[in-house]
Amino acid sequence: MTIPLVIDTDTAQDDCVAILAGLLTPEADLRAITMVAGNVGFDRQVKNAFMTFNVADKQVPMYLGSRLPLVRPWASAENVHGDGAGGLDMDFTGYSPETEHAVDALLRLAEEAEGELNIVAIGPLTNIALAVRKRPEFASQVKHLVVMGGSNNARGNITAAAEFNFYVDPEAAKIVFDAGFRITVVPWAPLTLQQAVFGRDVLERIAAIDTPLARFFTSVCSATLAFDESVGIPGTTHPDSLSVAVLLRPELITRSAEYNVDIETGSELTRGYAAMSWGVHGLAPNATVIEEIDAAGFQKYLLDMLSLSTTPPREFRTAG
Ligand code: BDR
Ligand code: CA
């Protein structure tokens, strides 16, 4: 039996790998991707997603969502990701997104799936929050929402307190955690930093695979590797592909717990901080937070995927 899902993405670096996982994992029935403002320029994100379809030689409908956070100006992560694809480009003639807005598509796809749709949200939560605002029952129509965001009583990345996705649109994140979804959280720290970083040894093994998918991976992860090493992270980070993996291969989760998750929207100092309360403060749980994974199993899952042979219809070129 396949797992119906939509990936809501700000496509750059590991978002590309996450989309590949949705396209190429046999258990996945990826019905669409929806684009949200986040990592890099919105139109660049769209190109990155089309290049991901190209390397997989597989496409699903792409719906464009919010180009801005709910109430704040956009904050970019271009200092981390560059263009999000390591300078790759291609001829985009003939590639175009659907005309329906992402929020309407999410609402429609949830209804059509009759309670079976899963969403993996790997960017700021603007589109998901707008869908809740448009139709509050949306939360109960979605089977499972996997959210990449926040840190579990640990450091942020864009500030000491906040992880990027929640920092960009904290109001949206708050709406989503209050909406009544069944949520699983893949946090930045400590989980991603401890268990989903690929060091140079792993990256060399990936380079040696030498398939179009492996070469694409190396390219899209290149800018982030340079940034990560400059801030003391020993490799590339994979929270977004991990978020897809835990939905499709839940056996990769080795420890999780129920938490109450709430998002800071009032303070500038701690904007987007996720307060993850682990059950001793008398707060009702609203999310399952993943605390530990089978890191070797996750690495094998991605390396096996990158070993698949695909025939990209368009040639990639490196932007000058
Ligand atoms: C998150 O922000 C982005 O830079 C990554 O794609 C990931 O979704 C990590 O903070
Ligand atoms: Ca992302």
Side-chain angles (χ1 to χ4, degrees):
M1 237 191 34
T2 54
I3 300 172
L5 78 150
V6 170
I7 299 176
D8 187 67
T9 167
D10 55 339
T11 314
Q13 196 251 349
D14 194 37
D15 289 76
C16 300
V17 186
I19 294 170
L20 287 178
L23 290 168
L24 298 172
T25 305
E27 295 91 326
D29 170 12
L30 182 64
R31 301 207 167 162
I33 68 167
T34 49
M35 194 60 68
V36 67
N39 280 320
V40 300
F42 194 90
D43 297 329
R44 185 66 225 177
Q45 293 181 167
V46 171
K47 287 184 171 177
N48 293 343
F50 280 138
M51 290 196 289
T52 308
F53 290 168
N54 181 60
V55 75
D57 192 12
K58 210 170 165 191
Q59 304 210 31
V60 295
M62 183 201 302
Y63 299 94
L64 305 188
S66 187
R67 287 176 173 267
L68 286 172
L70 291 184
V71 293
R72 305 194 188 232
W74 170 57
S76 107
E78 279 157 325
N79 63 319
V80 177
H81 299 302
D83 64 7
L88 283 188
D89 226 325
M90 68 176 204
D91 174 10
F92 292 96
T93 316
Y95 281 81
S96 56
E98 307 298 315
T99 51
E100 187 180 19
H101 192 276
V103 172
D104 295 317
L106 284 166
L107 293 170
R108 177 178 54 75
L109 289 164
E111 210 150 56
E112 285 171 4
E114 298 180 341
E116 291 304 312
L117 187 70
N118 301 279
I119 299 175
V120 183
I122 54 176
L125 288 167
T126 320
N127 288 341
I128 312 297
L130 285 169
V132 169
R133 280 293 191 249
K134 196 159 182 185
R135 192 202 296 149
E137 315 83 80
F138 178 61
S140 58
Q141 292 174 326
V142 170
K143 183 172 186 179
H144 191 174
L145 173 64
V146 180
V147 171
M148 190 286 121
S151 283
N152 184 0
N153 296 285
R155 63 173 54 189
N157 51 14
I158 189 157
T159 66
E163 175 283 329
F164 177 78
N165 290 339
F166 289 179
Y167 175 88
V168 172
D169 200 341
E171 286 76 15
K174 191 171 181 64
I175 288 169
V176 169
F177 278 91
D178 287 348
F181 287 101
R182 174 189 166 202
I183 298 180
T184 294
V185 178
V186 172
W188 175 256
L191 182 75
T192 300
L193 287 182
Q194 288 182 356
Q195 296 204 277
V197 173
F198 289 2
R200 288 214 173 236
D201 53 334
V202 182
L203 298 174
E204 272 166 27
R205 280 170 53 207
I206 291 173
I209 294 172
D210 204 28
T211 57
L213 288 168
R215 287 195 290 275
F216 181 77
F217 175 98
T218 299
S219 181
V220 299
C221 291
S222 59
T224 316
L225 175 63
F227 174 85
D228 286 341
E229 290 183 339
S230 77
V231 296
I233 299 171
T236 56
T237 50
H238 298 283
D240 296 340
S241 44
L242 177 59
S243 303
V244 174
V246 296
L247 175 75
L248 299 175
R249 301 273 168 91
E251 64 275 14
L252 290 173
I253 304 170
T254 51
R255 198 179 71 231
S256 64
E258 298 306 293
Y259 282 72
N260 179 280
V261 178
D262 201 356
I263 314 298
E264 176 61 52
T265 57
S267 153
E268 270 314 304
L269 181 64
T270 57
R271 159 183 172 178
Y273 170 73
M276 298 197 184
S277 171
W278 54 95
V280 298
H281 307 113
L283 301 169
N286 60 356
T288 303
V289 177
I290 301 181
E291 295 178 336
E292 189 189 271
I293 57 154
D294 168 3
F298 171 58
Q299 198 183 98
K300 179 174 177 346
Y301 165 76
L302 282 192
L303 266 64
D304 285 352
M305 178 183 83
L306 297 174
S307 304
L308 296 172
S309 165
T310 59
T311 311
R314 301 270 163 98
E315 239 177 76
F316 289 118
R317 50 175 190 258
T318 308

